[in-house]
Amino acid sequence: MNKDVIIALDFPTKDETLAFLDRFQGRKPFVKIGMELFYAEGPAIIREIKARGHKIFLDLKLHDIPNTVKRAMSVLSHLDVDMVNVHAAGASAMMKGALEGLTRADGTRPLLIAVTQLTSTDAETLKNELLIDTPMEETVMRYAKNAADSGLDGVVCSPLEARKVKDACGEKFFTVTPGIRFADGDVGDQKRVMTPERAGQSGSDFIVVGRPITQAADPVAAYERCCKEFLGQ
Ligand code: C5P
């Protein structure tokens, strides 16, 4: 799959989501659907957005025993999503189970990426609550390597880590990076941000952009600006 801009559809309802997508008229951006919208609207929202011609990253971050994740992934692959994810903390057996479950009878499957450490987990929490003494960056790189060795296609990471992940796991290993802000935009609650242009130069394959597009006065113009900066088109 080619480099692309993914819009995070962080809306609570189907009506708001579809009204937002209607503004794009002929364009069909790649979109991310997370837990809030999926749990509110169920699989029907996926079918509806797919039928409109969008690619979908279903961001549900599965983490359970391998057999449960395998069976759940099989259900998601039949929803015809394009990208899904798991927590790398579920370890290799779970990631391999996820891959197996995702693979359809004809051998095709959605891309599978892993979350390494959540960006909300800081060094202190890692050490004092999760009892992991290994430094954060080493943990992130090891989890990325475990994902690559299990056959996954990539990881979600900060654009600031994308280059290092590729150096450790190979150029073909996808990096999907949130934390994107325009140079003249609001940072909001994101701490480690990068512009679309810099992300494009720093090894990001997919940027995930929420509020800079969804909250813009003109979301279509903001999306086009993102594509222009990130993809140079
Ligand atoms: O509005 P904003 O551009 O910050 O949205 C970024 C999206 O990426 C949100 O859906 C957020 O949940 C998601 N995300 C993130 N940081 C991570 C993982 C996912 O911001 N580490």
Side-chain angles (χ1 to χ4, degrees), residues 88 116 134 136-149:
T116 55
T134 311
M136 178 67 79
E137 191 183 308
E138 219 180 294
T139 314
V140 167
M141 288 304 148
R142 177 57 197 266
Y143 282 21
K145 196 79 180 47
N146 291 347
D149 291 346

Side-chain angles (χ1 to χ4, degrees), residues 205-216:
D205 294 297
F206 296 92
I207 53 173
V208 176
V209 190
R211 287 160 292 179
I213 295 176
T214 57
Q215 305 301 313

Side-chain angles (χ1 to χ4, degrees), residues 205-232:
D205 294 297
F206 296 92
I207 53 173
V208 176
V209 190
R211 287 160 292 179
I213 295 176
T214 57
Q215 305 301 313
D218 184 344
V220 180
Y223 171 69
E224 277 166 2
R225 178 178 173 192
C226 247
C227 293
K228 198 159 182 240
E229 287 193 19
F230 181 59
L231 305 167

Side-chain angles (χ1 to χ4, degrees), residues 53-110:
H54 297 270
K55 284 193 187 131
I56 298 178
F57 168 20
L58 186 53
D59 180 17
L60 298 181
K61 301 185 180 70
L62 276 68
H63 187 179
D64 207 318
I65 59 171
N67 185 56
T68 301
V69 169
K70 177 179 164 181
R71 294 171 69 99
M73 283 297 187
S74 172
V75 174
L76 297 185
S77 79
H78 290 103
L79 276 180
D80 202 22
V81 294
D82 299 278
M83 188 187 285
V84 291
N85 58 2
V86 290
H87 271 285
S92 302
M94 188 205 75
M95 291 193 271
K96 287 177 186 161
L99 267 183
E100 260 182 66
L102 272 184
T103 307
R104 305 178 186 107
D106 64 0
T108 63
R109 65 167 174 80

